[in-house]
Amino acid sequence: MSLRDHLLELRKRLILAAVGLIIGTVVGWFLYTPVYEALQAPVIDLAERDDALVTVNFGGLASALDMQFKVAIILGAIISSPWWLYQLWAFVAPGMRQVERRYTIGFMGVAVPLFFTGVAMAWLVIPQAVSILVGFTPEGAANVLDAQMYLTFAMRLILAFGLAFVFPVLMVALTWAKIVPARVWLKGWRWAVLIIALAAAIMTPTPDAVTMMLLATPMTILYFVAIGVGFARERQRARKRPALDDDAEAETSL
């Protein structure tokens, strides 16, 4: 494909992904109340456990409406993730052979569960993060959490965890499309581990190392698994190439 064709394909996939995001956002709008109640639950439980004034507060007249829009958009990204993950694969797939494009089901079968695994891990981290951060409140003082900051933090954390778990699948796709060889990923493993650790520290804003390791460890393992899958595919492709060359020579001689 020419550069122009790649750009047209990219525009097409972005438009389709945006349509899916809009539909997911509409669904997310109606799911806002139960999601908000679930995210507020750790705060309420903490207040009851410590008999302290800890609550989520909407500071402005339009804050609640604005927050519902923001949460609905992030929920839309999570709900529509199978759709935009497919668009991502479909953009990479033209660089592959026809037989390799048949692995679409395999890509989706791995990427989607990994994304939701990351979402589930973030959901488990949020109560611990709230407990640790609120625990720094001095005795006798109140902790009134700004709804905008708290809900934005929680939803971005959930989305970030999901994307972090999908990245290794993207690595495999780029290797299979011959865009980034597996040896390049392996050569940069030290930088990758450092970036993973920094990303885990940023995405888990709690002072304890355990929470950070809960994210960094599986991300690191998945990174090396992706490299292994990439090398296996390259070796398989190398074994098939001599046979293809022999067939081409035979046809030429005829």
Side-chain angles (χ1 to χ4, degrees):
M1 294 177 68
S2 65
L3 177 61
R4 181 176 180 274
D5 291 334
H6 275 294
L7 293 176
L8 290 174
E9 180 69 15
L10 177 61
R11 184 181 68 174
K12 172 186 173 182
R13 296 302 168 187
L14 288 175
I15 291 173
L16 290 173
V19 171
L21 176 61
I22 292 171
I23 296 173
T25 299
V26 172
V27 177
W29 177 271
F30 294 101
L31 293 176
Y32 170 76
T33 299
V35 170
Y36 169 73
E37 291 175 352
L39 291 175
Q40 190 186 30
V43 179
I44 296 175
D45 293 342
L46 189 63
E48 293 177 351
R49 188 192 70 189
D50 298 341
D51 193 23
L53 178 56
V54 183
T55 185
V56 177
N57 177 63
F58 290 91
L61 183 63
S63 294
L65 179 61
D66 179 57
M67 199 64 248
Q68 186 164 349
F69 272 115
K70 291 180 179 179
V71 172
I73 292 172
I74 298 179
L75 282 175
I78 295 172
I79 293 169
S80 64
S81 58
W83 176 248
W84 55 257
L85 283 170
Y86 170 75
Q87 300 307 320
L88 175 64
W89 172 263
F91 175 68
V92 176
M96 300 182 178
R97 297 175 181 175
Q98 186 64 35
V99 66
E100 292 174 329
R101 297 181 192 177
R102 299 174 185 173
Y103 289 96
T104 300
I105 296 177
F107 172 84
M108 297 298 296
V110 174
V112 174
L114 280 176
F115 179 84
F116 284 108
T117 298
V119 168
M121 283 195 65
W123 197 269
L124 295 175
V125 166
I126 289 173
Q128 183 180 358
V130 171
S131 177
I132 293 174
L133 294 175
V134 173
F136 288 98
T137 304
E139 187 176 352
N143 196 323
V144 181
L145 305 177
D146 181 76
Q148 292 270 7
M149 294 181 63
Y150 173 65
L151 294 178
T152 300
F153 153 73
M155 296 306 298
R156 286 180 179 176
L157 183 69
I158 291 171
L159 187 59
F161 266 62
L163 292 174
F165 274 65
V166 169
F167 182 72
V169 184
L170 179 60
M171 288 172 54
V172 173
L174 292 174
T175 300
W176 282 30
K178 301 181 182 179
I179 298 174
V180 183
R183 67 177 181 276
V184 174
W185 296 117
L186 182 60
K187 186 176 180 181
W189 74 268
R190 294 178 180 84
W191 283 104
V193 172
L194 176 61
I195 293 171
I196 287 172
L198 291 174
I202 293 171
M203 288 189 289
T204 55
T206 55
D208 64 299
V210 175
T211 304
M212 186 191 78
M213 293 302 295
L214 285 174
L215 176 61
T217 300
M219 285 178 62
T220 303
I221 293 173
L222 289 172
Y223 180 85
F224 285 104
V225 169
I227 292 175
V229 173
F231 272 119
R233 180 55 186 168
E234 288 179 344
R235 283 195 295 269
Q236 182 184 27
R237 187 180 288 151
R239 286 196 298 268
K240 289 182 178 180
R241 189 175 295 116
L244 293 174
D245 293 341
D246 292 341
D247 292 342
E249 291 178 1
E251 291 178 1
T252 303
S253 61
L254 292 175

